[in-house]
Amino acid sequence: MTENRADPFFTPPRFCLLLALLVFAAFPQVILGMQTFVARDFGFFVYPLAHFQRDCFWHGEIPLWNPYNECGVPFLAQWNTMPLYPPSLIYLTLPMPWSLNFFDLLHLWFAGVGMYFLARRWTGNDFAAAFAGVVFSFNGMTLNLLMWPSHLATLAWMPWVVLAVEKSWRESGRSIFIAALAGAMQMLAGGPEIILMTWLLLSALWLRQIFRNDFPRVNFWRFPALVALVSALAAAQLFPFLDLAAHSQRDAGYADLRWSMPGWGWANLLVPVVFGYTKTENIFFQYDQYWTSSYYLGIAGIWLALLSIFSIKKNPAGPDSIASRSKIILLIAIAFIAFIFALGGNTPILPAIRKILPQLSKITYPVKYFLLVTFIVPLLAAFALRELEKLRRQMLVIGAMLLALIAVILVWAAKWPFSTDSVHATLLNGISRAGFLILTGAILFVTGKNGLKISRFAPLLLILVVWADVWTHEPPQNPTVPPNIYEQNLAREDLKMQPQPELGQSRAMISQQAYLDFIHMALSDPKNNFLAKRRGYCANANLLDDVPKVDGFFSIMPREIYEVLGLIYDHTNNFSPLENFLGVSQITAPDAIFRWQARTNYLPLVTAGQKAVFFNDDETLGMLADSHFDGRKIVCLPPDEKSLVAITNQTDVKIKKFRFENALVQIEAEAAAPSLVVVSQTYYHNWRALVDGKPSLLLRANGAFQAVEIPAGDHRIKLIYQDRAFEIGATISLATLVIAVFFIFWRKRAN
């Protein structure tokens, strides 16, 4: 591609420094360690899991299993927990919570730098690349991802992967391994939807190259080989995830169309706070769409992306220009499709496609498709900015149309508002966006104009205006609070529960009403909101106090425990017998979701001597819901285990002692006759049972828990979590990594 570096100011080192300064300007209190992120999932999902992972790291353990939530749940296999992502060492080794916040903001910077280099390669224009990099880092959707570091890290790797993979199609074999390493890093970061979008986009670009005969036929094999290499390098993470997904509650029809972009959602691209309201922690949300607090791309980004449509005809003849035109057309088409998909059920298109491809239903919340638009718009804007001199008339026309649309939206919002709309706030927001539009137009008009002194500073001024536009487009998306809210055992010491739930002894349980109240609870102050919910052990906050709890907050879990917990949280019945079996010693008080009350009659987490009865899963759920269920006397086993168990009556068994660790349970039992030992821990096929050091069959008890048959006498029982999928995947990943690193350095030395 012919290079046109345009403004020489935006060299790679200068842009990296400029973007770092913009990140610091946005979050100085966070980078300096005086404040921490807390909003939404950052406080109740991300930080507690990072705390648990860090604790495992310093004890020399691989975090395969989390015994503190959902009666036990796979941890590493969740993928978005990032246990194998190398940069996680930042928050595993450095002081928290500062290190986790720094990890987050480092990826915000890394995303913009990656987009800069990708746009620079595609446009040959440093100024256009710098503009694209800032728009990619600073837009509503990317800033929303600060509450999910795994998603942000995955998005940050997206331009790097596209850049490296496209380069590998044309250059030496060494570049294939470099691209594979970049792809593996994105895989290990853990955002499945963004990873899928990345490789779908790359597939479209690859097919475009093939149809254009844009590289030698001998290079055709490189892309399939690259996909295989990336999969092999990330096998240690992929294999456990795919294994859990196959045994999880997420079947082909699991996901629905909630949290789609509203039918009027296009209006928020121009007036960000139209048709919505501030909810929890004073964060703005659209009605019926709560996955992202914003997807505003900035008025300049939208303007120039629309202008790129006209750049298709304005490019001069020549192979480089033809390549640019075809790439722009492809990007526009993909962005349009992604926008339609983001509307979810508000158009008939995505529901119809889901019927043809039911696998797409595993992508929850259709608004996520807009992430692809977020990636493409900066690139389209960069193409338009490169051709700005030829598009000034079209630029003015589009600018006038956008200004008119803002006026229409404001009239619409004033005449037909929702009941909780703030018309005054919407009016101010729309006027300020119109002001940014006019200011952007003035800067674009003088950009590149010879003889004007201000034109020398126009490119940098445009970058600063883009940043200011997004930074002020709505109330703060990521409010911050003092870091001491994450102090370990803060709630434990405050609550002083008696008895105190401990690992292997008993559990706390949020009541059904408290569970619903926490979902709808919306305190305006983020600090008070978090501390109040932490006292109630909302979501995964219990991990900060090492308190085991019945429920939890994970995207996927073993199917069986999902069904059992559904009894408690989807029905209004009294489940005291089931709660006794689960070892619930503390439950939410009926008069306040922040207080707890002690329970009596709860069973230890290891019991024995029950009579075996054989029911299918539906019958077992009915038995667990029955008010006469007694976990001390009977245990429900699946019918296909009837031939494996000969115990039909209660027996006399003494449990001498037992001990729970993260991935190990040790029990000593004395039985007068062959008996069953039942463990109130989630059944999952990766658990192995040993009786006196010899392998024994692990039974699925009471629908979702564990049981082991022992003969008469004294016995030592061990339950060990052994993830074969992880072990096989890790072997493949390590072998592939050694080969890749050797090949990279061997080729470098040979060259």
Side-chain angles (χ1 to χ4, degrees), residues 1 115 118-119 121-122 158-170 196-215 219-220 222-224 226 322-335 372 375-376 379-380 383:
M1 179 177 290
M115 179 57 74
L118 178 61
R121 180 180 177 88
W122 281 8
M158 191 173 182
W160 294 100
V161 173
V162 173
L163 179 64
V165 171
E166 194 177 48
K167 187 177 180 181
S168 74
W169 293 338
R170 299 176 178 276
L196 176 62
M197 292 174 192
T198 301
W199 289 93
L200 287 176
L201 176 63
L202 282 169
S203 298
L205 291 170
W206 181 61
L207 291 173
R208 166 185 165 272
Q209 300 280 72
I210 292 174
F211 292 144
R212 295 186 65 253
N213 291 319
D214 215 12
F215 50 66
N219 292 350
F220 175 85
R222 289 189 175 184
F223 186 58
L226 183 60
I322 293 173
S324 292
R325 286 202 297 268
S326 64
K327 188 171 285 183
I328 293 170
I329 292 170
L330 178 63
L331 291 175
I332 290 172
I334 294 173
L372 202 49
F375 179 79
I376 290 174
L379 292 167
L380 292 176
F383 279 114

Side-chain angles (χ1 to χ4, degrees), residues 480-512:
T480 59
V481 297
N484 60 5
I485 64 164
Y486 292 127
E487 182 180 338
Q488 188 173 0
N489 294 324
L490 182 68
R492 176 191 279 255
E493 294 174 0
D494 182 35
L495 293 169
K496 293 182 172 60
M497 292 182 175
Q498 293 295 332
Q500 175 64 56
E502 300 284 2
L503 181 62
Q505 296 181 16
S506 66
R507 297 187 177 103
M509 192 185 93
I510 295 176
S511 67
Q512 183 199 53

